Amino acid sequence: MRILHTSDWHLGRIFHGIHLTDDQAYVLEQFLQVAGDVKPDVIIIAGDVYDRSVPPTDAVKLLDEVISRVLMDFSVPVLLIAGNHDSPERLGFGTRLLARQGLFIIGQPSTNLAPIILQDSHGPVYFCPVPYAEPSVVRETLAAPDATDYNSAMRCLLKHYTASLPRGSRAVAVAHAYVAGGESSESERPLTIGGTEMVDAACFQSFNYAALGHLHKPQKTGTGIYYAGSLLKYSFSESPHRKSINLVEMDEAGNINLDKVTLSPRRDVRCLEGYLTDILTAPKNGENKEDYIMVTLKDTGALLDALGKLREIYPNVLHIERPFLLDGGELRGPRGDHRRLSDMDLFSSFFEQVTGVPLNSEEARTFAQTVELFYPKEQR
């Protein structure tokens, strides 16, 4: 059984004010090329296909185009589950009708949980889809009072599946969850507050492979338990990531071999750090100046229109950080009664709090000249 595992497309995503639909279409074209080349037996999309519950029309059109090409051009079944960003009701519309065409969409748990059975030359493989669901939904749907948190809810759902699996059968779990030990990123929406969202990796021990979604970094969190990661980098914390698709080969005994097929975006997400004059010297060899960039400036002095100057070289600078402005913490009032302090004393106190260093004699002289220019002594 050859499985192509992907997740977290987040179609319709807006990144620092930039609509990413064109970037997503660019990398999904690569995904389609991979699907055509490797000819998988099934494609798994493990949740968060959209970025929000009511996606924009261009995101819906993009998904329709990609899925239609997979089904009609390659005749490859697609198994898609809802993530925490998706609307399960909207995503699951027409499920029974679409299943006849090879598109299996599971929006939310139901009372008649049953695995999806696909065949290869060695026989059946049982796919057990677990879309994102609140524990309260699982408790009500399955009449399972023990489903009090995400971990127990996941156990209840998978127990219903495994109870119906033939002994020794090959089985794949498909879930959208935060498995303990996984490495998160800034772009993931927390499922809960306080860590109760965690799911134990032991939940998936009965499966030959667990195809997971939610965490955006491609990673392994246990034996046969893998996150494919997100389609693109959706935060600057993900700049070191290499986005990919998991190509899984399962043999007759259920043993798996996994390869990562790297995706190359039209624009990368990168972080630059240094002094403004150094960064403005122009891109290095092989560097794409059109990338989405965050710049951390080491400069401590005043900078005039730093963003404008940077965008002359890197048009897609989206964020600037200046750490030295944060080093002093919260601004405090000057020592003593400010009404008894001179302009120079007040400015010196402010300058030292902001920069972390005392005002030197040349800077003090410049300040005095500036004050004299705007407020001559006869006006003070």
Side-chain angles (χ1 to χ4, degrees), residues 150-166:
Y150 284 87
N151 187 53
S152 55
M154 181 64 71
R155 288 184 181 278
C156 287
L157 288 165
L158 294 177
K159 183 179 179 181
H160 274 71
Y161 279 120
T162 55
S164 63
L165 298 181

Side-chain angles (χ1 to χ4, degrees), residues 21 98 105 142 173 189 208 230 240 248 267 274 279 303 313 380:
T21 305
L98 294 171
I105 301 177
L142 301 183
R189 181 187 298 167
N208 301 97
S230 57
V248 181
R267 300 183 183 91
I279 295 175
L303 296 175
I313 306 298
R380 286 186 274 164

Side-chain angles (χ1 to χ4, degrees), residues 41-54:
D41 295 296
V42 62
I43 290 175
I44 293 174
I45 307 174
D48 281 353
V49 61
Y50 292 125
D51 190 57
R52 49 190 183 272
S53 58
V54 184

Side-chain angles (χ1 to χ4, degrees), residues 1 17 30 81 103 143 204 298 368:
M1 177 69 68
Q30 296 176 41
I81 65 172
L103 176 57
F204 304 98
K298 295 181 178 180

Side-chain angles (χ1 to χ4, degrees), residues 2-320:
R2 180 173 289 180
I3 302 167
L4 204 57
H5 168 205
T6 180
S7 70
D8 295 273
W9 289 5
H10 289 277
L11 301 182
R13 184 86 169 201
I14 299 175
F15 181 54
H16 288 264
I18 303 294
H19 290 262
L20 295 180
T21 305
D22 289 343
D23 297 82
Q24 292 167 331
Y26 180 89
V27 80
L28 281 171
E29 188 63 38
Q30 296 176 41
F31 167 77
L32 288 169
Q33 291 175 4
V34 172
D37 291 340
V38 304
K39 296 178 174 57
D41 295 296
V42 62
I43 290 175
I44 293 174
I45 307 174
D48 281 353
V49 61
Y50 292 125
D51 190 57
R52 49 190 183 272
S53 58
V54 184
T57 54
D58 56 353
V60 177
K61 289 179 181 178
L62 179 56
L63 179 65
D64 178 65
E65 179 183 353
V66 172
I67 298 298
S68 296
R69 288 175 62 183
V70 168
L71 295 176
M72 293 189 293
D73 296 350
F74 309 137
S75 300
V76 175
V78 176
L79 198 164
L80 188 157
I81 65 172
N84 57 300
H85 282 250
D86 299 310
S87 167
E89 294 82 8
R90 289 186 174 90
L91 196 63
F93 174 78
T95 298
R96 288 179 293 178
L97 178 63
L98 294 171
R100 297 179 181 179
Q101 309 303 318
L103 176 57
F104 303 93
I105 301 177
I106 297 85
Q108 53 192 344
S110 64
T111 54
N112 56 342
L113 290 178
I116 296 167
I117 305 172
L118 299 178
Q119 302 279 342
D120 66 4
S121 58
H122 302 299
V125 177
Y126 295 81
F127 291 83
C128 303
V130 182
Y132 170 79
E134 297 283 348
S136 58
V137 173
V138 177
R139 278 199 307 273
E140 181 178 352
T141 302
L142 301 183
D146 294 337
T148 56
D149 57 18
Y150 284 87
N151 187 53
S152 55
M154 181 64 71
R155 288 184 181 278
C156 287
L157 288 165
L158 294 177
K159 183 179 179 181
H160 274 71
Y161 279 120
T162 55
S164 63
L165 298 181
R167 184 182 297 274
S169 60
R170 295 176 294 165
V172 175
V174 182
H176 193 86
Y178 191 164
V179 174
E183 183 180 339
S184 61
S185 307
E186 291 179 358
S187 58
E188 295 143 5
R189 181 187 298 167
L191 303 180
T192 63
I193 297 174
T196 59
E197 61 189 3
M198 295 290 186
V199 170
D200 192 340
C203 291
F204 304 98
Q205 64 183 1
S206 299
F207 296 88
N208 301 97
Y209 181 72
L212 301 183
H214 181 57
L215 298 185
H216 288 182
K217 180 181 179 180
Q219 57 192 288
K220 177 181 180 181
T221 58
T223 303
I225 306 171
Y226 289 87
Y227 283 96
S230 57
L231 187 69
L232 292 172
K233 300 176 183 180
Y234 292 126
S235 71
F236 287 111
S237 71
E238 297 175 51
S239 60
H241 294 184
R242 294 190 66 185
K243 300 303 183 182
S244 57
I245 313 166
N246 288 352
L247 175 59
V248 181
E249 298 268 4
M250 180 184 295
D251 66 15
E252 182 179 4
N255 301 312
I256 67 164
N257 180 63
L258 185 143
D259 289 321
K260 292 183 178 181
V261 182
T262 303
L263 299 173
S264 300
R266 181 173 63 169
R267 300 183 183 91
D268 200 0
V269 172
R270 297 191 290 119
C271 298
L272 300 179
E273 183 175 1
Y275 293 96
L276 180 61
T277 53
D278 295 333
I279 295 175
L280 293 176
T281 56
K284 300 176 183 177
N285 290 336
E287 186 180 11
N288 184 4
K289 68 177 184 178
E290 301 292 332
D291 288 342
Y292 298 122
I293 293 173
M294 181 183 80
V295 177
T296 301
L297 294 174
K298 295 181 178 180
D299 303 79
T300 58
L303 296 175
L304 180 63
D305 191 22
L307 181 60
K309 292 176 180 177
L310 286 166
R311 282 182 172 169
E312 290 179 4
I313 306 298
Y314 300 101
N316 293 312
V317 172
L318 303 182
H319 183 63
I320 292 179

